[in-house]
């Protein structure tokens, strides 16, 4: 089927950029494959996408598409459904069967607009479904949305690979530090940095038989190091007094032992603190009063930045011991790895959360998309079937929305959709209620544990909210502002009933509301 683009004005001769010019300006944003058996369709889509700096390859049939993908895998495929020999559903199924191509997102483009066609498209592996004729902006934003998801998946995969590589490197370090295996195990089990530092200071002091260990952390403004934690025999009054007095100190960048290690990011050893000048070692008098002699400090680095400095003291003078420094430095490395893993785990958690959010979000209205609605309907249907409780569904449509777009323009139309979506959200306050963009100007609202009376109440609230918005609509024949028609159905899911029947019932009620003059709601009746 040949189709037209609804917003030709946006692609006039003055605005159109040639493919060659785009290539010369900068690199392509992504590699796309457009599949359609009509050359005019291919040219139109190629023009739209090339203008947005996408590299576009074209295939005139399903067979050519598969060969093209085999030669070079695209980042995304825009796939027509009705084609001779191999239709779009079959092409998508073949791609999803291969490890090399199953992750390529496929957006179906078709004049087939029935719910069954769309459901089939998602079942065979499509990530989105655009009905012809379509708006160029809609195609572009859906393409960008899917490419964003692909990019985040790649970043997530890279994060996982980096994490695996880091864990492997840590295992190699652990094999060389058998004497500190206990410390390493305790650090890996620590719930937070405070506990990890406590474990490291106590285990290192006991293991190397030194009397005092401390950790200095950067201040909130990042200009100084302040005492964060210490380990010592709490029955040793001299060490207890030394710790209490040390809490009054802080070290600037590059100043004295702690500050120097912060600056150089290298360990430093002092054989006898009593022989060091005051300028080189702050707290000299405190150290002497506590009977401490030898001191050495090591940094804890995260990606080239010092997070903390650990310092250890012994009451007898000792010459520089490179092996001991290397051992404690390895502990600091393990501690930095622990911190890095915690940061990576948190970043992965946030990335997964954001990926899930985007996968279920409509890019324009920022409410649930059709995919999210389908999953939620299935889950709620099964749950309420077990609990024998009612489930309500509202299907709503903005009255004369095409006329609205024609009169005010597509940007105003997009803003109208956003405002209507926000008004619906305000009316559905329970956590389980779901407001979703069902398609175009049509919205679906899922209301678990809601009978017919409750569904009607929500419908009235929604229409009241829309009325309060008072969005002007000169193209409407029922009102001078934007209005909604709503179809309502509520039922207790029973074994043998189909979700599709519920959707069809709500759609029939919506049709009745339109037939009754629009700007109203109708309840589905089987009679």
């Amino acid at each position: 089927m040949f189709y037209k683009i609804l917003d030709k004005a946006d692609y006039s001769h003055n605005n159109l950029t040639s493919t060659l010019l785009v290539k010369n300006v900068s690199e392509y944003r992504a590699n796309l494959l457009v599949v359609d058996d009509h050359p005019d369709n291919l040219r139109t889509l190629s023009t739209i996408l090339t203008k947005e700096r996408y590299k576009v390859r074209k295939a005139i049939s399903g067979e050519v598409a598969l060969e093209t993908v085999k030669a070079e895998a695209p980042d995304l495929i825009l796939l027509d459904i009705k084609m001779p020999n191999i239709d779009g559903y079959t092409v998508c199924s073949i791609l999803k069967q291969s490890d090399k191509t199953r992750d390529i997102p496929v957006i179906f483009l078709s004049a087939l607009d029935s719910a069954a066609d769309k459901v089939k498209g998602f079942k065979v592996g499509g990530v989105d479904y655009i009905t012809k004729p379509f708006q160029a902006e809609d195609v572009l934003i859906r393409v960008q949305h899917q490419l964003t998801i692909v990019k985040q998946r790649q970043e997530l995969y890279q994060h996982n690979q980096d994490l695996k590589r880091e864990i492997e490197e840590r295992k190699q370090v652990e094999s060389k530090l058998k004497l500190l295996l206990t410390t390493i195990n305790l650090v890996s089990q620590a719930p937070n940095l405070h506990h990890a530092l406590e474990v490291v200071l106590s285990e290192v002091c006991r293991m190397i038989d030194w009397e005092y260990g401390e950790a200095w952390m950067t201040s909130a403004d990042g200009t100084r190091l302040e005492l964060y934690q210490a380990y010592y025999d709490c029955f040793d009054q001299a060490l207890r007094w030394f710790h209490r007095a040390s809490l009054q100190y802080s070290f600037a960048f590059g100043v004295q032992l702690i500050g120097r290690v912060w600056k150089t990011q290298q360990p430093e050893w002092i054989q006898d603190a009593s022989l060091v000048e005051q300028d080189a070692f702050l707290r000299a008098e405190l150290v002497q009063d506590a009977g401490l002699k030898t001191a050495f400090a090591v940094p804890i680095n995260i990606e080239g930045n010092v997070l903390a400095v650990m310092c250890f003291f012994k009451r007898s003078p000792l010459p520089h011991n490179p092996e001991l420094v290397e051992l404690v430095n390895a502990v600091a490395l393990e501690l930095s790895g622990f911190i890095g893993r915690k940061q990576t785990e948190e970043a992965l958690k946030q990335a997964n959360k954001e990926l899930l959010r985007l996968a279920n979000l409509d890019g324009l209205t920022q409410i649930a998309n059709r995919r999210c609605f389908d999953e939620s309907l299935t889950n709620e249907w099964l749950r309420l079937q077990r609990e024998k409780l009612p489930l309500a569904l509202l299907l709503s449509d903005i009255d004369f929305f095409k006329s609205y777009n024609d009169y005010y323009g597509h940007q105003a139309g997009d803003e109208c959709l956003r405002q209507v979506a926000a008004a619906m959200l305000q009316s559905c306050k329970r956590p389980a209620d779901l407001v979703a963009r069902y398609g175009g100007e049509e919205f679906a609202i899922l209301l678990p544990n809601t009978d017919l009376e409750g569904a009607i109440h929500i419908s009235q609230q929604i229409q009241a909210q829309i009325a309060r918005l008072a969005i002007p609509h000169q193209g409407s024949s029922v009102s001078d502002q934007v209005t909604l028609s709503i179809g309502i159905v509520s039922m207790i899911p029973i074994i043998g009933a189909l979700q599709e029947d519920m959707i069809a019932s709500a759609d029939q009620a919506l049709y009745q509301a339109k037939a009754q003059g629009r700007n109203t709601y109708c309840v589905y009746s089987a009679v």
Side-chain angles (χ1 to χ4, degrees), residues 1 79-82 89 108-113 117 129-134:
M1 174 179 287
L79 180 60
D80 187 25
I81 293 178
K82 294 188 66 176
Y89 294 137
F108 284 111
L109 283 167
S110 177
L112 303 174
D113 61 352
D117 292 318
Y129 193 109
I130 303 175
T131 304
K132 303 174 184 176
F134 53 79

Side-chain angles (χ1 to χ4, degrees), residues 129-344:
Y129 193 109
I130 303 175
T131 304
K132 303 174 184 176
F134 53 79
Q135 299 174 14
E137 293 93 339
D138 192 28
V139 174
L140 292 174
I141 197 169
R142 288 169 186 257
V143 167
Q144 182 57 44
H145 176 63
Q146 294 303 326
L147 290 174
T148 299
I149 293 176
V150 170
K151 180 182 178 183
Q152 291 177 334
R153 284 176 178 165
Q154 292 171 345
E155 291 175 348
L156 191 60
Y157 174 79
Q158 187 59 48
H159 278 307
N160 281 313
Q161 292 301 109
D162 292 342
L163 184 59
K164 290 178 182 178
R165 186 161 50 251
E166 183 181 0
I167 291 173
E168 183 61 30
E169 292 172 355
R170 295 294 170 260
K171 287 181 179 179
Q172 295 176 5
V173 172
E174 288 174 7
S175 66
K176 300 176 182 178
L177 302 175
K178 293 180 180 180
L179 291 178
L180 294 176
L181 184 59
T182 301
T183 303
I184 293 171
N185 290 335
L186 290 172
V187 166
S188 65
Q189 298 170 12
N192 51 50
L193 176 59
H194 180 85
H195 185 75
L197 280 172
E198 180 183 7
V199 166
V200 167
L201 293 175
S202 61
E203 290 300 319
V204 169
C205 283
R206 284 199 291 263
M207 202 166 291
I208 66 177
D209 194 25
W210 285 46
E211 286 81 8
Y212 186 91
E214 60 188 11
W216 296 78
M217 302 272 301
T218 53
S219 59
D221 60 6
T223 60
R224 306 183 71 80
L225 285 174
E226 299 172 343
L227 186 57
Y228 180 75
Q229 199 160 355
Y231 169 81
Y232 56 93
D233 182 357
C234 61
F235 296 104
D236 190 319
Q237 292 186 355
L239 294 180
R240 189 167 55 187
W241 181 85
F242 174 70
H243 171 248
R244 188 180 300 114
S246 296
L247 290 171
Q248 308 303 317
Y249 286 81
S250 64
F251 294 95
F253 187 75
V255 177
Q256 283 85 39
L257 173 65
I258 304 299
R260 287 197 303 274
V261 173
W262 182 15
K263 179 180 180 180
T264 63
Q265 300 189 20
Q266 296 295 325
E268 186 172 335
W269 183 287
I270 295 178
Q271 181 172 333
D272 191 342
S274 63
L275 303 178
V276 178
E277 296 181 1
Q278 176 73 12
D279 291 342
F281 188 81
L282 196 62
R283 297 187 297 167
E285 293 183 1
L286 297 180
V287 169
Q288 186 174 355
D289 292 341
L292 301 172
K293 296 291 186 180
T294 306
F296 78 96
V298 295
I300 299 175
N301 299 320
I302 297 291
E303 296 181 352
N305 297 314
V306 174
L307 177 68
V309 173
M310 292 191 299
C311 189
F312 299 90
F313 293 88
K314 189 172 181 62
R315 279 183 163 138
S316 57
L318 293 176
H320 180 250
N321 186 336
E323 293 182 357
L324 179 58
V325 174
E326 182 181 358
L327 198 59
V328 177
N329 203 41
V331 174
L333 180 63
E334 177 63 25
L335 189 55
S336 69
F338 163 80
I339 298 169
R341 286 194 295 273
K342 288 295 182 184
Q343 292 175 342
T344 301

Side-chain angles (χ1 to χ4, degrees), residues 4-16 44 47-48 51 134-137 405-406 409-411:
K4 65 178 181 178
I5 306 302
L6 296 180
D7 56 346
K8 289 183 177 179
D10 289 343
Y11 294 90
S12 64
H13 175 74
N14 292 333
N15 294 331
L16 193 60
T44 303
T47 298
I48 294 170
K51 182 177 183 290
F134 53 79
Q135 299 174 14
E137 293 93 339
N405 270 337
D406 292 341
H410 292 292
Q411 288 186 340

Side-chain angles (χ1 to χ4, degrees), residues 115-116 119 123 370-386 391-395 434 438 444-446 489-508 524:
V119 169
K123 282 185 177 179
R370 176 64 179 274
R371 174 181 178 274
C372 181
F373 169 78
D374 290 338
E375 290 181 356
S376 298
L377 176 58
T378 299
N379 294 335
E380 293 296 343
W381 183 274
L382 295 175
R383 181 177 71 85
L384 296 174
Q385 189 178 80
R386 292 192 301 270
L391 175 64
L393 172 63
L394 313 181
L395 279 184
L434 180 76
Y438 197 70
I445 300 176
L446 202 60
V489 62
S490 179
M491 61 187 297
I492 297 176
I494 60 174
I495 297 176
L498 299 176
Q499 305 167 36
E500 291 78 4
D501 295 337
M502 185 179 198
I503 295 174
S505 298
D507 194 51
Q508 184 176 338
Y524 171 75

Side-chain angles (χ1 to χ4, degrees), residues 33-48:
L33 175 62
V34 180
V35 186
D36 199 302
D37 60 333
H38 288 278
D40 290 336
N41 295 349
L42 289 176
R43 282 192 293 271
T44 303
L45 269 176
S46 178
T47 298
I48 294 170

